[in-house]
Amino acid sequence: MTLRGRLTAAFLVVVLGPVLLGAFFVASTVTAVDRSRSTERLAVAASTVRTSVDALCQQLRAAADAVALTGDPAVAASQLVGRGLAAAVLVTDVNGRVTYASPGAPPTPWRDCSEPATASSGPVRALAARVDRRDPAGALLGTVAAAQLVDPAFVARLAAVTGVAVTLLDGGASAARVTHTTESREVRDAVLAAAGATSGERVTESTKGRYVRRIGPSAGQPLPLVLSVPSERPPGLHVTLAGVVVLAGLLAVFTAWRLARVTTRPLVELAGAVDRVAHGDLTARVPVRSRDELGRLAAAFNRMTRETGSYVAALTSSRDQLRGHLAVLGDTLASTHDLQRILRVILHSAIAATGARAGAVLLVEAGGVLVAQCSEGLDGRWPAGDPDGSQGLRVPVGVGVVGAVAATGEPQRGRVEPTEAPTDEPRCRTYVAVPFATPGGTSTPSGTTTAGGTTTTGGERSLDEAGAAAAALGVLALYDRVGADEFDDDDLVTLRTFAGHAAVAVENVRVHEEAQRLSLTDPLTGLWNYRYLRESIRREVERASRFGRMLSVLALDLDRFKDVNDTYGHAAGDTVLAEFARRVRGEIREVDLAFRQGGEEFVLLLPETDARGAAIVAERLGAAVRETPIAVEAYAGPIVVTVSVGIAVYPDHGSTGREVLEAADDALYAAKAAGRDTYRVAEARPDVPTREIPVPACAVSPPDGLPRAGRPVQAPREPGGHARSESTAGVPESNRSGPAHARPDPADEPAATAADAARAGPDVTRPGSGGGASSGPHPPRQSRGR
């Protein structure tokens, strides 16, 4: 319901309420008074009827006594009838025979005055009184009955005496038939219906506006009578009252509508303007019609819409700009795992959203140093010692603004005073820096106490699940806001949002890298798994084919490893496998790849290596395993194991990675058949297609000192280099000299240098590159009973 409707309803309640109550009071009062008076009249009439009937019965009883006392009943009866004291006299003997009956007597039976209330049904023709007739000795001679006619004249006399309408019913049981009545035909049926619906002598009202009461038959009044009186209410009282109420209601409605319209018109206009504003129309205005409260409200609304319009215009521009940056950021986060690219987009969006002139994203690296991963607008802001920024932005954790932010986990903003000593950070006048930590931590509001008991005062601090401050991954810092002196709290909130995106990006990249590592490494040994072996051997074969180089493949298998598991248990076997993998990593170069093919089977890929170099590696691996038994906890002595190695070289033993791997596997079986703890080189294919490579007339090694696929080349040893013999058949002698590995092409492998080409032993100082720490499941190879 509208306000106008509520005001109208309230006014109508106030006005029509008393009118309705008054009309109801008048109607109920008039009805009660009328009913009371009619009831009183009917009570008087009933009393009068009873008195009249009783007097008549006494008269008839006296007449019957007079006849019974005379010697000649016929004479006495004639005298009484002639005087009008009775309408008829009936004399009977003791046997009930009629001895005298007055001429013209009404038909019997007559209604006796002394009959009980439950009289027999049938019309009442006469009312009689009976007495016994006895002789002087007291013997019963018979009875004498004196009767009076009950006819319309009798009923009319009762109506005249009582002053009410009288109806004599046909019998006393129901009001279905009427004997005599003084009621008019118009109301007779309604009176009889009301009399039939009531019981006893209660007063009821008929539908024709008459009050009705039944009396008799009862002791002393054997006649069944219905008395009725007309209502004394003014005719049409209820209609008149209803008309008055309706007229008053119409007048009240009109008045209330006018008052409500005048009162609510300013509010309706204000509501319409508010609705237009809600639908985006900020040009809506409300006319100010008065200086009262509604007028002041309209003026305030107009002022508010004007100011809101200017704010909305500014916010729309800012929103569109921020929406564009967020769209770019979302597309970047969803489409790439390039951390540098993601951080650049985050930094650019943060600078555009806050209006900063410059900024940087720094990540915490090993050693507790913040290193800038990307920056923008820092030209000319570097410290005096590094004016061009060649050293990059590197800040120790705990030093300077960004260092303190990373150490405390609390964002900071403020102004740099000119008197402050310069740090390793870019020069600026104002700054804001927000840390970001691993997603999933909670945060506590400013000024609250954490579970660890520390109190934060600089905003929200990232917490880990234990309640302690989470270690910061990095810091997002902005410098020198455009058009303002300092960054405000809104800028801090905005920067927290972008810092959260940066944290998500770093975590996503780390999770992606970890997932890649887990999917490609063996969880027990940390070496690459069988899945990565298939990919790597295909890639290395393609590279060797493209550049005309060699690729050696070593298939390794621990001898009688099943005996180790059966004797010492699978836990000891896992320890042996992990230690063997560690020793393998110690005997290979960084460019070499080590794989666990399945069970106790391993594979090595040695790029830029011929058969002789592969044989040297096989000898070193056999010695490293054989000479130092593997100690296993919970056992008294170390476990001695040996390894068998099969060697195959691309392209001498196969034109595809699968063929070379199968050739190495066949060579491994040959080493097993030769007594184990040795190595064998695969047999050369009889029909290996070769392609001659033109060489200078004076046979010399290639300029890079690397072996080439094709015919063997004998070359003298060059200063700083090593000659290589590309023998592909037979087992190289252990006393042959030569490098164990050939180095990769510098164009392909920047990490490999010429100084690594010849090494006398395992390089234990460099980290192994054989694989990661863990890996997912990989398909096992079928064993052939080694």
Side-chain angles (χ1 to χ4, degrees):
M1 182 182 293
T2 62
L3 177 61
R4 180 180 298 177
R6 290 196 296 271
L7 290 176
T8 302
F11 183 82
L12 291 178
V13 169
V14 172
V15 174
L16 291 182
V19 174
L20 292 175
L21 290 177
F24 177 76
F25 177 76
V26 170
S28 61
T29 301
V30 171
T31 301
V33 170
D34 180 52
R35 184 181 183 86
S36 177
R37 295 183 62 181
S38 298
T39 302
E40 184 179 357
R41 289 180 59 190
L42 289 175
V44 173
S47 178
T48 303
V49 167
R50 287 191 181 93
T51 303
S52 300
V53 172
D54 184 67
L56 178 60
C57 289
Q58 293 295 335
Q59 177 184 333
L60 292 176
R61 190 173 290 108
D65 286 338
V67 173
L69 293 176
T70 62
D72 189 358
V75 176
S78 299
Q79 292 176 356
L80 290 175
V81 171
R83 294 178 182 179
L85 297 178
V89 176
L90 181 66
V91 181
T92 60
D93 56 13
V94 293
N95 296 322
R97 292 190 297 271
V98 178
T99 59
Y100 174 78
S102 299
T108 57
W110 298 337
R111 182 66 55 86
D112 195 339
C113 290
S114 59
E115 286 184 0
T118 56
S120 59
S121 61
V124 180
R125 304 301 181 186
L127 186 63
R130 297 179 184 275
V131 296
D132 294 333
R133 187 167 65 86
R134 298 179 182 275
D135 58 7
L140 180 64
L141 300 177
T143 60
V144 177
Q148 181 65 44
L149 290 176
V150 178
D151 53 7
F154 176 79
V155 175
R157 288 195 301 271
L158 287 179
V161 171
T162 58
V164 298
V166 179
T167 300
L168 176 63
L169 299 178
D170 186 1
S174 65
R177 294 188 300 274
V178 178
T179 303
H180 307 293
T181 182
T182 61
E183 297 284 357
S184 62
R185 292 183 178 274
E186 292 79 7
V187 300
R188 180 183 302 173
D189 294 336
V191 169
L192 293 178
T198 186
S199 61
E201 295 188 1
R202 290 186 299 177
V203 177
T204 184
E205 186 176 5
S206 70
T207 57
K208 295 295 185 178
R210 298 183 67 86
Y211 290 94
V212 179
R213 178 176 179 175
R214 290 184 62 176
I215 60 173
S218 61
Q221 203 288 102
L223 300 178
L225 301 175
V226 175
L227 309 180
S228 70
V229 294
S231 173
E232 296 181 358
R233 289 194 303 267
L237 174 63
H238 291 87
V239 175
T240 303
L241 291 177
V244 171
V245 170
V246 170
L247 182 61
L250 293 176
L251 182 60
V253 167
F254 177 76
T255 305
W257 179 80
R258 290 291 299 175
L259 291 175
R261 185 174 183 276
V262 172
T263 304
T264 60
R265 182 179 180 184
L267 295 178
V268 172
E269 294 174 345
L270 180 61
V274 170
D275 187 63
R276 290 171 57 192
V277 170
H279 286 81
D281 184 10
L282 294 178
T283 62
R285 297 293 184 269
V286 179
V288 181
R289 302 183 182 278
S290 63
R291 296 182 179 273
D292 57 2
E293 291 81 359
L294 294 177
R296 292 199 299 271
L297 179 62
F301 174 81
N302 294 336
R303 185 170 60 254
M304 179 190 69
T305 52
R306 285 194 298 270
E307 295 177 358
T308 303
S310 60
Y311 292 153
V312 168
L315 288 175
T316 302
S317 176
S318 177
R319 179 203 62 190
D320 294 339
Q321 185 179 13
L322 182 59
R323 183 180 297 170
H325 292 303
L326 290 178
V328 173
L329 178 59
D331 294 341
T332 304
L333 289 175
S335 61
T336 182
H337 286 95
D338 185 354
L339 183 60
Q340 298 296 325
R341 178 184 173 189
I342 294 174
L343 294 180
R344 283 196 301 271
V345 173
I346 292 175
L347 177 61
H348 178 71
S349 301
I351 290 175
T354 58
R357 296 181 182 273
V361 179
L362 303 93
L363 296 181
V364 178
E365 294 189 354
V369 178
L370 285 165
V371 180
Q373 301 298 316
C374 60
S375 60
E376 185 172 338
L378 296 183
D379 296 338
R381 297 175 180 271
W382 300 101
D386 187 24
D388 57 352
S390 59
Q391 297 179 358
L393 181 55
R394 301 175 63 88
V395 181
V397 175
V399 177
V401 174
V402 295
V405 170
T408 61
E410 299 178 1
Q412 293 186 13
R413 62 181 178 87
R415 175 183 295 275
V416 177
E417 300 297 334
T419 57
E420 294 183 3
T423 62
D424 293 336
E425 300 181 44
R427 293 189 298 270
C428 63
R429 293 188 302 274
T430 59
Y431 65 88
V432 59
V434 174
F436 52 89
T438 303
T442 58
S443 59
T444 57
S446 174
T448 60
T449 302
T450 66
T454 59
T455 302
T456 61
T457 58
E460 293 186 354
R461 186 173 183 180
S462 178
L463 301 178
D464 59 15
E465 295 180 356
L473 295 176
V475 177
L476 175 59
L478 301 181
Y479 304 101
D480 293 340
R481 182 181 180 187
V482 178
D485 293 335
E486 293 186 16
F487 293 94
D488 55 20
D489 292 336
D490 293 336
D491 297 325
L492 196 61
V493 172
T494 302
L495 203 59
R496 281 200 190 98
T497 302
F498 287 104
H501 288 304
V504 172
V506 173
E507 185 67 15
N508 287 344
V509 170
R510 290 182 177 180
V511 170
H512 177 71
E513 293 176 351
E514 180 67 11
Q516 278 192 322
R517 186 187 66 80
L518 292 176
S519 66
L520 299 178
T521 58
D522 175 59
L524 176 62
T525 62
L527 302 181
W528 301 113
N529 59 18
Y530 178 75
R531 174 184 177 185
Y532 193 56
L533 169 62
R534 293 182 299 175
E535 178 184 346
S536 299
I537 196 170
R538 177 189 56 79
R539 183 180 64 248
E540 293 299 332
V541 167
E542 289 180 356
R543 179 182 299 176
S545 176
R546 183 168 62 253
F547 295 102
R549 307 291 172 83
M550 288 185 173
L551 171 67
S552 293
V553 178
L554 276 65
L556 294 78
D557 186 273
L558 291 177
D559 298 327
R560 297 183 176 89
F561 184 73
K562 184 177 182 299
D563 296 340
V564 175
N565 283 334
D566 295 342
T567 304
Y568 302 101
H570 288 278
D574 291 344
T575 302
V576 171
L577 292 176
E579 176 62 20
F580 175 72
R582 187 189 67 80
R583 296 183 186 183
V584 168
R585 285 195 296 266
E587 297 296 332
I588 61 177
R589 304 168 301 178
E590 291 184 2
V591 296
D592 299 333
L593 300 175
F595 306 87
R596 183 186 178 190
Q597 191 172 11
E600 70 275 15
E601 300 178 5
F602 298 83
V603 175
L604 297 181
L605 300 184
L606 309 180
E608 311 289 349
T609 305
D610 58 7
R612 176 174 295 181
I616 294 174
V617 173
E619 290 177 353
R620 289 177 178 173
L621 289 174
V625 175
R626 180 190 322 109
E627 296 173 359
T628 306
I630 299 174
V632 178
E633 295 183 3
Y635 296 101
I639 299 175
V640 179
V641 294
T642 58
V643 62
S644 299
V645 183
I647 301 172
V649 180
Y650 172 83
D652 297 335
H653 302 127
S655 58
T656 64
R658 179 177 180 180
E659 292 177 356
V660 176
L661 187 60
E662 290 178 351
D665 199 47
D666 293 338
L668 174 61
Y669 279 100
K672 291 282 186 179
R676 296 183 174 85
D677 191 16
T678 185
Y679 68 91
R680 288 291 183 269
V681 177
E683 297 180 357
R685 293 183 299 174
D687 54 349
V688 176
T690 59
R691 178 175 60 89
E692 291 190 358
I693 300 177
V695 296
C698 56
V700 295
S701 298
D704 55 4
L706 300 179
R708 304 293 186 183
R711 299 178 61 185
V713 177
Q714 300 292 335
R717 186 183 308 272
E718 294 183 353
H722 302 274
R724 289 184 176 255
S725 174
E726 300 190 1
S727 175
T728 60
V731 179
E733 299 295 336
S734 62
N735 60 355
R736 290 181 183 177
S737 62
H741 301 275
R743 307 304 298 165
D745 188 350
D748 294 336
E749 302 289 344
T753 61
D756 297 326
R759 63 177 175 166
D763 186 3
V764 297
T765 61
R766 60 174 172 78
S769 61
S774 61
S775 174
H778 55 272
R781 281 179 59 87
Q782 296 292 332
S783 173
R784 287 191 274 180
R786 297 176 190 152

